[in-house]
Amino acid sequence: SSANLAKSIVGAGVLSLPSGAAKVFDAAEQQGASDHASGIAALLLLYILFGALNAGGFYLIGQVCERTGARTYQEAWSKTLGDRLEWLPSAASLVCSFTGMVACITVLGDTVSELAM
């Protein structure tokens, strides 16, 4: 369901963002940059950029649903692109959910192994 997909994406993001940010700072220090302000600015810029891209995509999906009168993403796909590949959004959601699950498991495994040391 949509709720499970959102939980998977948010869960992996919440768990992996701090770790990713720390790795960016570590890499910057190894390169000789000791100014954390520039690293924070770069991370904030990336967060804003990807957030805006996601918001734009959701906005466009909403516009398509409103203009076609569709109540689901699959129905909007079918009304705009035809019935031939109407299974594709469901398959993409399945793949996205699976990769979100793998990401959560990977992050949890890394976190638990680091805590155990």
Side-chain angles (χ1 to χ4, degrees):
S1 74
S2 299
N4 286 334
L5 178 62
K7 284 192 317 186
S8 295
I9 293 168
V10 170
V14 166
L15 292 173
S16 63
L17 279 177
S19 174
K23 288 180 182 181
V24 168
F25 286 123
D26 289 345
E29 280 184 7
Q30 289 176 357
Q31 301 265 331
S34 61
D35 182 23
H36 284 319
S38 60
I40 291 172
L43 289 171
L44 284 175
L45 181 65
L46 286 172
Y47 295 158
I48 291 168
L49 173 68
F50 286 112
L53 288 171
N54 279 314
F58 286 123
Y59 174 78
L60 291 174
I61 291 169
Q63 287 294 310
V64 169
C65 286
E66 183 179 338
R67 291 180 185 192
T68 61
R71 296 186 49 87
T72 66
Y73 185 50
Q74 188 167 354
E75 185 181 350
W77 179 284
S78 180
K79 287 184 175 186
T80 55
L81 299 172
D83 293 335
R84 184 170 166 255
L85 296 175
E86 72 176 331
W87 56 269
L88 197 56
S90 295
S93 292
L94 180 68
V95 169
C96 191
S97 296
F98 178 76
T99 56
M101 177 191 65
V102 170
C104 280
I105 291 170
T106 303
V107 169
L108 286 173
D110 289 346
T111 303
V112 169
S113 67
E114 286 181 19
L115 290 174
M117 292 182 151

